Amino acid sequence: MTQVKAYAAVSASTPLGPYRIERRGARPDDVEIEILYCGVCHSDLHTARNDWGWTRYPIVPGHEIIGRVTRVGAGVTRFKAGDTVGVGCMVDACGQCPACAAGDEQHCREGATFTYGGADRIDGTQTHGGYSESIVVRQAFVVRVPDTLDPAAAAPLLCAGITTWSPLRNAGVGPGSQVAVVGLGGLGHMAIKLAKALGAEVTLFTRSPGKEADARRLGADHVVLSTDARQMAAAAGSFHLIVDTVPYAHDLNPYIPTLAFRGSLVLVGYLGPLQPELDSMPMVIGGKSVAGSLIGGIPATQELLDFCGAHGIVSDVEVIRMQEINEAYARMLASDVKYRFVIDMASLKAEA
Amino acid sequence: MTQVKAYAAVSASTPLGPYRIERRGARPDDVEIEILYCGVCHSDLHTARNDWGWTRYPIVPGHEIIGRVTRVGAGVTRFKAGDTVGVGCMVDACGQCPACAAGDEQHCREGATFTYGGADRIDGTQTHGGYSESIVVRQAFVVRVPDTLDPAAAAPLLCAGITTWSPLRNAGVGPGSQVAVVGLGGLGHMAIKLAKALGAEVTLFTRSPGKEADARRLGADHVVLSTDARQMAAAAGSFHLIVDTVPYAHDLNPYIPTLAFRGSLVLVGYLGPLQPELDSMPMVIGGKSVAGSLIGGIPATQELLDFCGAHGIVSDVEVIRMQEINEAYARMLASDVKYRFVIDMASLKAEA
């Protein structure tokens, strides 16, 4: 056991602050990782504030982790000290069920062990995330990070990246695909970059005319103002896939007619009742679907990192100090970030 | 032009009654068909009563047509006089768009020409359906009916059959698949038969304990009472595909947890607002989807008929006379049919 510095929420209503946690020594299949950077995800904030009702305090958020291997267990074959690695939203799963067998560990029948707020499958202790100096993770849940990528800007690939990569890959997006993205934030800007790099023609749906220039810089071929009925009508029947990244309740019905037949709108940002209610008529008439998608499995995450390495894709990030996390949360709620905060963990190490 | 006997609705509020319509002479690629049997679909009733708001009167319903070829146009190569053939929900489409090229003519970009209530693509006249002595249809929209099948019981394959076949085939259902069917009516009983014949393990969701024996006779391996919370909980995470045949608004939320990860609930019966509203949380967490599906294309319809010929599958039908159609509609609304009415068109020919 080692005591390490971290930032934790101790209740739903208090700001995050310094906190000491214990990290276990490496088991035979464990990798010990010095954390260099950790991205700041909306889920961190939702968990810190118990928006989903399942938080146990204290909690150390953070699941977009980039680090350097410092030590490996005796049975570890895939990593060695000095490697640059990533850890995303999961640190373990049963490994036996149909989902695990399919590389969809996020759908593990027993429930995947999430990077923070989960329970270690061996000793039952609560897992703590990447707002900390170091972490110890089973090698099967550690991914390689190409050396060509800026490690700070690569951090958001571990959640924002894989969350948008999964629906693109599951839909077989490639040259000739028409893909639309709803919302231009941490997830949306990754969806645009990845869809474009996969060869798709990419459209951004937005309510903000001011986002057009940035969307085009990120790779969007078209921008459709979702508040403009004429533009929406002109987009009818266009898209094989819509990746909807909006994190709050919003009306999906205007987007359904813009799907091509057999097209799918995939929700990756919003969890809750679909209000106003979805109309099944255009879904049946057009053979269309509305789906949800949850992050992605470890094989897909490694595939994404390798793809990003080959194509030079990272997130647009604003690097902050650990001590700025509460201000960053406030700015994130105000959509005042282009497009992801990433914590430089040297700032935590420098604390007394 | 030939005047032929038919039964038509002349307004939303009057019963169907005898009516004369004109059928065109065969164009070079047309097949003239003497109608032997025509199934009675909920859509016939919805259209006769203008429930969807698009009916133009008078209208002759009927799109589950089985007949015998009486004459073919000079350019027809695939059919000859005497052949037993079927005509389903469509009689034409553009033939050029991506959907038509994919054999999904029901999603034709220009709009498929439906068997009744459509507009002929050449002369613009309104199409009239199978509640009539004969019909003239382009050969590309005529399918072969295996001689081994009872023609009366085969009629519902042209709509109820293909409507349930499409989601089964699109989901790749086969041995090892877990398929559930919601609702046991004209569509539901076909879904059970077809899923079973494809090799799936089949479950019926029903609110009526009295339907269990019949469901098992049709091929269901399990019956789950959807009103029983314990039975629903036991079914959690089970199904790759749920074919939902219920034709009215109903709560989909209890079924979502019974889907396996990446599973899909496909609506084939209900067109309208999803009330109460669908909750996206279990859809995102489980990577699940809700989709609509509309009949199926001509290649899939032929594939279905050939599959049914090979497996001896037909609908359970109650054969009625044309003159009994209004009573049949009333009984259909009361779910008093096992499981499909089919009109014996000899009864119409015998009218004065």
mmCIF file of all heavy atoms in Angstrom, chain B residues 41 53 57 125 140 163 165 174 178 184 194 238 243 246 268 270 299:
data_model
loop_
_atom_site.group_PDB
_atom_site.id
_atom_site.type_symbol
_atom_site.label_atom_id
_atom_site.label_comp_id
_atom_site.label_asym_id
_atom_site.label_seq_id
_atom_site.Cartn_x
_atom_site.Cartn_y
_atom_site.Cartn_z
ATOM 1 N N CYS B 41 -55.794 -6.915 -43.405
ATOM 2 C CA CYS B 41 -54.741 -6.340 -42.558
ATOM 3 C C CYS B 41 -55.302 -5.166 -41.777
ATOM 4 O O CYS B 41 -56.220 -4.486 -42.237
ATOM 5 C CB CYS B 41 -53.606 -5.880 -43.489
ATOM 6 S SG CYS B 41 -52.268 -5.004 -42.670
ATOM 7 N N GLY B 53 -55.220 9.784 -41.920
ATOM 8 C CA GLY B 53 -55.460 11.099 -42.511
ATOM 9 C C GLY B 53 -55.060 11.246 -43.962
ATOM 10 O O GLY B 53 -55.108 12.341 -44.507
ATOM 11 N N TYR B 57 -61.063 8.849 -51.130
ATOM 12 C CA TYR B 57 -62.176 7.922 -51.408
ATOM 13 C C TYR B 57 -62.647 8.065 -52.843
ATOM 14 O O TYR B 57 -62.529 9.150 -53.409
ATOM 15 C CB TYR B 57 -63.330 8.197 -50.430
ATOM 16 C CG TYR B 57 -62.934 7.926 -48.995
ATOM 17 C CD1 TYR B 57 -62.495 8.959 -48.173
ATOM 18 C CD2 TYR B 57 -62.982 6.631 -48.488
ATOM 19 C CE1 TYR B 57 -62.108 8.706 -46.856
ATOM 20 C CE2 TYR B 57 -62.595 6.372 -47.166
ATOM 21 C CZ TYR B 57 -62.160 7.422 -46.370
ATOM 22 O OH TYR B 57 -61.777 7.159 -45.080
ATOM 23 N N THR B 125 -53.426 7.411 -62.130
ATOM 24 C CA THR B 125 -54.686 6.965 -61.526
ATOM 25 C C THR B 125 -54.425 6.341 -60.162
ATOM 26 O O THR B 125 -53.355 5.813 -59.892
ATOM 27 C CB THR B 125 -55.387 5.919 -62.418
ATOM 28 O OG1 THR B 125 -54.475 4.820 -62.627
ATOM 29 C CG2 THR B 125 -55.775 6.517 -63.753
ATOM 30 N N ALA B 140 -42.002 -6.796 -61.821
ATOM 31 C CA ALA B 140 -40.971 -6.630 -60.789
ATOM 32 C C ALA B 140 -41.564 -6.608 -59.383
ATOM 33 O O ALA B 140 -40.840 -6.776 -58.397
ATOM 34 C CB ALA B 140 -40.176 -5.352 -61.047
ATOM 35 N N THR B 163 -43.526 -8.334 -42.878
ATOM 36 C CA THR B 163 -43.328 -7.321 -41.834
ATOM 37 C C THR B 163 -42.532 -7.880 -40.658
ATOM 38 O O THR B 163 -41.713 -7.172 -40.061
ATOM 39 C CB THR B 163 -44.695 -6.795 -41.353
ATOM 40 O OG1 THR B 163 -45.323 -6.127 -42.451
ATOM 41 C CG2 THR B 163 -44.553 -5.827 -40.190
ATOM 42 N N TRP B 165 -40.709 -10.845 -40.956
ATOM 43 C CA TRP B 165 -39.495 -11.459 -41.524
ATOM 44 C C TRP B 165 -38.348 -10.457 -41.592
ATOM 45 O O TRP B 165 -37.203 -10.786 -41.284
ATOM 46 C CB TRP B 165 -39.831 -11.989 -42.921
ATOM 47 C CG TRP B 165 -38.722 -12.636 -43.700
ATOM 48 C CD1 TRP B 165 -38.091 -12.124 -44.807
ATOM 49 C CD2 TRP B 165 -38.149 -13.945 -43.491
ATOM 50 N NE1 TRP B 165 -37.171 -13.023 -45.287
ATOM 51 C CE2 TRP B 165 -37.175 -14.158 -44.492
ATOM 52 C CE3 TRP B 165 -38.363 -14.940 -42.548
ATOM 53 C CZ2 TRP B 165 -36.419 -15.324 -44.595
ATOM 54 C CZ3 TRP B 165 -37.610 -16.103 -42.640
ATOM 55 C CH2 TRP B 165 -36.651 -16.292 -43.645
ATOM 56 N N GLY B 174 -30.836 -16.614 -36.124
ATOM 57 C CA GLY B 174 -30.579 -18.003 -36.496
ATOM 58 C C GLY B 174 -30.391 -18.829 -35.239
ATOM 59 O O GLY B 174 -30.721 -18.374 -34.138
ATOM 60 N N GLN B 178 -31.749 -15.392 -29.357
ATOM 61 C CA GLN B 178 -32.863 -15.279 -28.415
ATOM 62 C C GLN B 178 -33.776 -14.180 -28.938
ATOM 63 O O GLN B 178 -33.386 -13.017 -28.986
ATOM 64 C CB GLN B 178 -32.338 -14.912 -27.021
ATOM 65 C CG GLN B 178 -31.496 -15.997 -26.366
ATOM 66 C CD GLN B 178 -32.332 -17.159 -25.857
ATOM 67 O OE1 GLN B 178 -33.553 -17.033 -25.690
ATOM 68 N NE2 GLN B 178 -31.690 -18.306 -25.635
ATOM 69 N N LEU B 184 -49.666 -11.223 -29.521
ATOM 70 C CA LEU B 184 -49.972 -12.425 -30.307
ATOM 71 C C LEU B 184 -51.220 -12.174 -31.146
ATOM 72 O O LEU B 184 -52.344 -12.469 -30.739
ATOM 73 C CB LEU B 184 -50.182 -13.633 -29.377
ATOM 74 C CG LEU B 184 -50.426 -14.978 -30.076
ATOM 75 C CD1 LEU B 184 -49.264 -15.333 -30.992
ATOM 76 C CD2 LEU B 184 -50.646 -16.090 -29.060
ATOM 77 N N LEU B 194 -41.900 -17.782 -37.723
ATOM 78 C CA LEU B 194 -40.709 -17.536 -38.540
ATOM 79 C C LEU B 194 -39.431 -17.573 -37.704
ATOM 80 O O LEU B 194 -38.420 -18.154 -38.128
ATOM 81 C CB LEU B 194 -40.841 -16.188 -39.265
ATOM 82 C CG LEU B 194 -41.979 -16.130 -40.305
ATOM 83 C CD1 LEU B 194 -42.159 -14.696 -40.808
ATOM 84 C CD2 LEU B 194 -41.712 -17.086 -41.466
ATOM 85 N N SER B 238 -31.878 -10.812 -21.741
ATOM 86 C CA SER B 238 -32.020 -12.061 -22.500
ATOM 87 C C SER B 238 -31.972 -11.935 -24.021
ATOM 88 O O SER B 238 -31.378 -12.772 -24.690
ATOM 89 C CB SER B 238 -33.359 -12.730 -22.145
ATOM 90 O OG SER B 238 -33.402 -13.075 -20.787
ATOM 91 N N VAL B 243 -39.384 -8.309 -31.317
ATOM 92 C CA VAL B 243 -40.271 -7.838 -32.376
ATOM 93 C C VAL B 243 -41.588 -7.449 -31.704
ATOM 94 O O VAL B 243 -42.303 -8.294 -31.183
ATOM 95 C CB VAL B 243 -40.510 -8.927 -33.437
ATOM 96 C CG1 VAL B 243 -41.426 -8.392 -34.540
ATOM 97 C CG2 VAL B 243 -39.179 -9.399 -34.034
ATOM 98 N N VAL B 246 -47.436 -4.891 -31.210
ATOM 99 C CA VAL B 246 -48.628 -4.254 -30.619
ATOM 100 C C VAL B 246 -49.014 -3.033 -31.452
ATOM 101 O O VAL B 246 -48.164 -2.187 -31.732
ATOM 102 C CB VAL B 246 -48.350 -3.860 -29.154
ATOM 103 C CG1 VAL B 246 -49.520 -3.092 -28.568
ATOM 104 C CG2 VAL B 246 -48.029 -5.103 -28.331
ATOM 105 N N VAL B 268 -43.104 -2.859 -35.202
ATOM 106 C CA VAL B 268 -43.679 -3.095 -36.527
ATOM 107 C C VAL B 268 -45.178 -2.817 -36.554
ATOM 108 O O VAL B 268 -45.785 -2.837 -37.621
ATOM 109 C CB VAL B 268 -43.410 -4.538 -37.020
ATOM 110 C CG1 VAL B 268 -41.917 -4.773 -37.224
ATOM 111 C CG2 VAL B 268 -43.996 -5.575 -36.073
ATOM 112 N N TYR B 270 -46.989 -0.266 -34.243
ATOM 113 C CA TYR B 270 -47.517 1.000 -33.712
ATOM 114 C C TYR B 270 -46.812 2.202 -34.318
ATOM 115 O O TYR B 270 -45.581 2.307 -34.267
ATOM 116 C CB TYR B 270 -47.373 1.051 -32.189
ATOM 117 C CG TYR B 270 -47.705 2.407 -31.625
ATOM 118 C CD1 TYR B 270 -49.001 2.913 -31.729
ATOM 119 C CD2 TYR B 270 -46.731 3.202 -31.036
ATOM 120 C CE1 TYR B 270 -49.305 4.179 -31.248
ATOM 121 C CE2 TYR B 270 -47.023 4.460 -30.540
ATOM 122 C CZ TYR B 270 -48.322 4.946 -30.658
ATOM 123 O OH TYR B 270 -48.618 6.201 -30.192
ATOM 124 N N PRO B 299 -37.159 -8.416 -52.959
ATOM 125 C CA PRO B 299 -36.281 -9.596 -52.831
ATOM 126 C C PRO B 299 -36.505 -10.331 -51.511
ATOM 127 O O PRO B 299 -36.512 -11.567 -51.478
ATOM 128 C CB PRO B 299 -34.872 -8.993 -52.901
ATOM 129 C CG PRO B 299 -35.037 -7.695 -53.617
ATOM 130 C CD PRO B 299 -36.394 -7.187 -53.238
#
